[in-house]
Amino acid sequence: MASAGWLILNAIRIYWKTIFIILYPLALLPVFLFDNVAALRCLYVVLLMAGYWVSEALPLPVTSLIPMVLFPLMGVLDSDKVSLCYLKETNMMFVGGLIIAIALEHCNLHRRVALYVIKLVGCSPRKLNLGLVTVTMLVSMWISNTAATAMMIPIIEATLIELEEQGIGQMFETPSFLDGASSEKMRSADEEDEEDPKRPTKETMCYFVSTAYAACIGGNGCIIGSGTNLTFKGIYETRFDNSPGVEFAKWLFVNVPMMLIMMYLTVIWLQFWYMGLFRPKSADAKRLNVGKQNETVARKLIGRKLTEMGPMSFHETAVGCLFVLSVLLWFFRKPQFIVGWAELITQHKVKDATAALIVVLLLFVIPSSPDFIYMFSKDEEKRPKAASHALLTWKVVQQKLPWGLIFLLGGGFALAEASKVSGMSQLIADHLHGFAMLPRFWVMVISCLFATFITQFTGSNVAVANVFLPVLAEMCLVAKIHPMYLMMPATLSCSFSYCLPISTPPMAIAAAPCNMRSTEMAKAGLGVAIISLATLFAVFPFLGSYIWNFDTFPEWAN
């Protein structure tokens, strides 16, 4: 009997995903069977996808395709309307932004900029940490959080290894042995070490984890910096199609100050926790007190890496110019204080996706080498033998573009559209009427706390935003609160996933190479989450009110 029970438990352990995929939809059937209305059928699909997203029983992009199957079959939304949600303007802006980011990575310009900034800031332990987080934050505004972290981690590893080889600092703690220990005992300890990974020093943890935090915080600074930002943009503009939308310049005006405050308060907290900042007599502070030698070694390493990269190429220069062009096109499309370039050209609505795709087209047109200028040179050796590749090729895009994330965004937009059409969001908002009647500041605080808590335990903050934001949109209508007042802070809170390696890919990327324990990450991450939420609550209501006038409920929301 016991043997049979063990076999059943073992089978569940092995095949739990398949079992969950089959049984979970059956368990949800009572949601609409006893009251078969469109709103509850839509709620069934939302709960089904939320369960699959959180458990990752199916790959996230595959789960995101469920609306294409169930909404038409269950009579919630027509197939053509569902399909359009997967290629909305926001998706196209996301694709454009990603392709520009891929071009930056492809020519290695982002790495060169990172090394120059680190060298400029300084290479003492605390200055080096400040330089690393500053670079990661700024890069993460324009490319994905995951890519920004993945770019910086090898630079950190190389720097710490070089310092250790020079006898300055340690990357991992050295186990202490009793005096007179035999060589046999030492060997057995080494064998145990192979099974039990080495523990990182506090300095090592500070470098790695602060980089992941910088990627998450930096992603909030720009609308294209994070999938959650674009999820918010799509859902907001779908639900409130008469609104001015989420504009690039306004987003920067509100979120860049908050990003900077969050980041540098986080640096102070982490250096206090790990590096003995404001604790000069602590062991952590004394361990960093190695004079100018540490800084000299680190500076030489950064200089050597820059030398290895060679002089800046035409390819890097051209991509850098196009990147600056993309930022200018986004910012001056509709800057409010002057007439935007789009308004000068046409009366039709031009959004940020158009600006992104202008630059994308140029990336595939401009050659990566200027050898064409020697086409008619008298020197035959200088004449090009074949056309040079463009700044970016489609083969590179195919390899690096995260197509799954595009489906994830599209699935969220399909849920938002179905929630509106079926009345599901209204149904939920009506049941939360008492909560919505609280003072608006406390509604925002509770919403942000809930989003921050949930996102610590899911692998995708985009999935959390997809489920949460449509409900908040309806709650804004019930409570007569400006939609931006609740939806933007909740969106930002979905990116405050700092406490566990499973919270978001940057955390996992940072934790792996230094063997950082989840408990250590949770201690540091809790402080960063508190800093981020406190900054959000203190700054957003005041700074945002200058842009959107939160004291009046907009007519377009009705």
Side-chain angles (χ1 to χ4, degrees):
M1 207 47 196
S3 176
W6 184 87
L7 288 173
I8 291 170
L9 288 174
N10 191 49
I12 292 172
R13 181 182 63 82
I14 296 170
Y15 298 108
W16 73 268
K17 287 188 177 182
T18 305
I19 294 168
F20 183 80
I21 290 167
I22 295 169
L23 295 184
Y24 184 60
L26 298 177
L28 289 178
L29 286 175
V31 169
F32 71 91
L33 283 182
F34 299 110
D35 188 8
N36 192 7
V37 295
L40 292 178
R41 292 197 296 272
C42 180
L43 179 61
Y44 173 84
V45 177
V46 171
L47 293 174
L48 178 65
M49 292 179 67
Y52 284 172
W53 269 333
V54 171
S55 66
E56 295 192 41
L58 283 174
L60 297 179
V62 175
T63 300
S64 303
L65 296 174
I66 287 176
M68 268 307 304
V69 177
L70 292 187
F71 281 153
L73 291 178
M74 298 180 76
V76 177
L77 211 59
D78 294 341
S79 291
D80 55 350
K81 290 182 179 178
V82 180
S83 299
L84 290 173
C85 293
Y86 288 85
L87 276 178
K88 294 175 74 69
E89 184 270 342
T90 304
N91 294 75
M92 296 308 297
M93 180 186 176
F94 179 61
V95 170
L98 279 174
I99 291 176
I100 294 170
I102 288 169
L104 288 170
E105 291 180 57
H106 179 56
C107 70
N108 250 346
L109 179 61
H110 64 320
R111 191 165 182 265
R112 185 185 295 276
V113 171
L115 293 171
Y116 268 120
V117 172
I118 293 167
K119 191 175 181 179
L120 181 68
V121 171
C123 295
S124 67
R126 292 196 182 107
K127 286 182 180 178
L128 183 60
N129 177 237
L130 179 65
L132 289 166
V133 298
T134 300
V135 170
T136 310
M137 174 187 70
L138 295 175
V139 169
S140 188
M141 288 177 65
W142 311 102
I143 70 174
S144 76
N145 304 347
T146 304
T149 309
M151 175 195 78
M152 296 303 296
I153 292 300
I155 297 173
I156 295 170
E157 276 192 285
T159 304
L160 293 179
I161 290 169
E162 181 75 16
L163 291 172
E164 192 168 28
E165 287 177 355
Q166 297 293 328
I168 305 169
Q170 286 181 296
M171 190 169 177
F172 295 99
E173 291 181 358
T174 304
S176 57
F177 298 101
L178 294 172
D179 292 336
S182 65
S183 58
E184 185 180 343
K185 188 174 180 181
M186 294 282 282
R187 280 196 301 272
S188 64
D190 288 341
E191 287 170 8
E192 285 177 13
D193 258 0
E194 289 177 8
E195 295 177 4
D196 186 19
K198 294 178 181 179
R199 292 190 61 185
T201 61
K202 286 191 171 184
E203 183 182 347
T204 298
M205 287 190 282
C206 186
Y207 281 126
F208 280 93
V209 80
S210 62
T211 301
Y213 295 150
C216 295
I217 293 170
N220 286 335
C222 179
I223 197 167
I224 65 167
S226 169
T228 52
N229 301 349
L230 290 165
T231 298
F232 161 63
K233 174 179 165 65
I235 291 174
Y236 184 87
E237 293 175 357
T238 296
R239 182 61 187 88
F240 306 106
D241 49 4
N242 292 322
S243 72
V246 183
E247 294 167 358
F248 186 89
K250 290 181 178 180
W251 182 284
L252 287 179
F253 179 81
V254 173
N255 285 289
V256 167
M258 288 197 294
M259 174 191 77
L260 294 172
I261 295 170
M262 287 177 196
M263 188 68 263
Y264 293 116
L265 286 178
T266 294
V267 170
I268 292 170
W269 156 246
L270 291 175
Q271 291 196 3
F272 170 80
W273 184 254
Y274 289 122
M275 290 186 167
L277 184 66
F278 306 130
R279 297 183 289 125
K281 295 183 179 180
S282 66
D284 297 331
K286 289 175 182 177
R287 192 163 50 241
L288 297 182
N289 188 20
V290 292
K292 293 286 184 181
Q293 192 181 359
N294 187 319
E295 186 168 1
T296 303
V297 171
R299 190 176 292 278
K300 283 182 180 177
L301 175 67
I302 299 299
R304 187 167 70 244
K305 287 185 173 295
L306 282 168
T307 303
E308 288 170 1
M309 293 189 76
M312 196 165 178
S313 65
F314 174 83
H315 192 170
E316 291 174 89
T317 304
V319 171
C321 290
L322 288 179
F323 171 71
V324 172
L325 175 63
S326 67
V327 176
L328 293 175
L329 288 174
W330 278 323
F331 190 85
F332 289 103
R333 177 183 65 83
K334 194 176 178 182
Q336 304 295 319
F337 57 88
I338 58 171
V339 179
W341 60 266
E343 296 169 285
L344 292 173
I345 295 172
T346 179
Q347 296 302 311
H348 290 280
K349 187 179 284 187
V350 176
K351 292 193 173 182
D352 290 324
T354 302
L357 293 175
I358 289 171
V359 175
V360 167
L361 290 174
L362 292 173
L363 285 170
F364 287 96
V365 172
I366 298 172
S368 59
S369 173
D371 55 4
F372 59 88
I373 64 175
Y374 300 110
M375 180 60 68
F376 302 104
S377 173
K378 293 179 180 179
D379 187 350
E380 284 190 32
E381 291 185 5
K382 288 186 177 181
R383 294 176 197 165
K385 303 297 185 289
S388 77
H389 292 296
L391 296 174
L392 191 63
T393 63
W394 189 246
K395 184 178 181 181
V396 173
V397 172
Q398 282 183 310
Q399 291 172 344
K400 293 189 175 182
L401 192 67
W403 300 99
L405 194 50
I406 298 168
F407 289 143
L408 188 57
L409 287 176
F413 299 155
L415 288 185
E417 179 68 18
S419 299
K420 180 178 74 171
V421 172
S422 69
M424 185 211 79
S425 295
Q426 180 66 50
L427 180 71
I428 294 174
D430 288 343
H431 282 82
L432 295 173
H433 192 273
F435 170 60
M437 291 303 104
L438 290 171
R440 69 182 184 187
F441 177 77
W442 292 111
V443 176
M444 181 190 74
V445 168
I446 294 169
S447 301
C448 292
L449 289 172
F450 179 77
T452 302
F453 177 77
I454 293 296
T455 199
Q456 306 303 328
F457 305 100
T458 62
S460 173
N461 41 27
V462 174
V464 175
N466 278 333
V467 175
F468 195 38
L469 291 178
V471 176
L472 282 183
E474 298 302 327
M475 194 179 295
C476 290
L477 296 180
V478 171
K480 299 298 180 186
I481 299 173
H482 195 296
M484 196 66 73
Y485 187 86
L486 291 187
M487 294 179 72
M488 183 180 281
T491 300
L492 300 175
S493 298
C494 287
S495 293
F496 297 165
S497 44
Y498 308 131
C499 291
L500 296 169
I502 63 165
S503 299
T504 190
M507 304 310 300
I509 292 170
C514 71
N515 302 323
M516 189 172 185
R517 295 181 178 180
S518 297
T519 51
E520 287 288 348
M521 186 174 284
K523 290 174 189 174
L526 182 61
V528 181
I530 292 170
I531 288 169
S532 298
L533 287 168
T535 303
L536 181 66
F537 299 151
V539 177
F540 179 79
F542 301 101
L543 199 57
S545 64
Y546 286 106
I547 300 293
W548 293 292
N549 189 14
F550 293 145
D551 293 328
T552 59
F553 185 68
E555 292 182 9
W556 47 257
N558 290 315

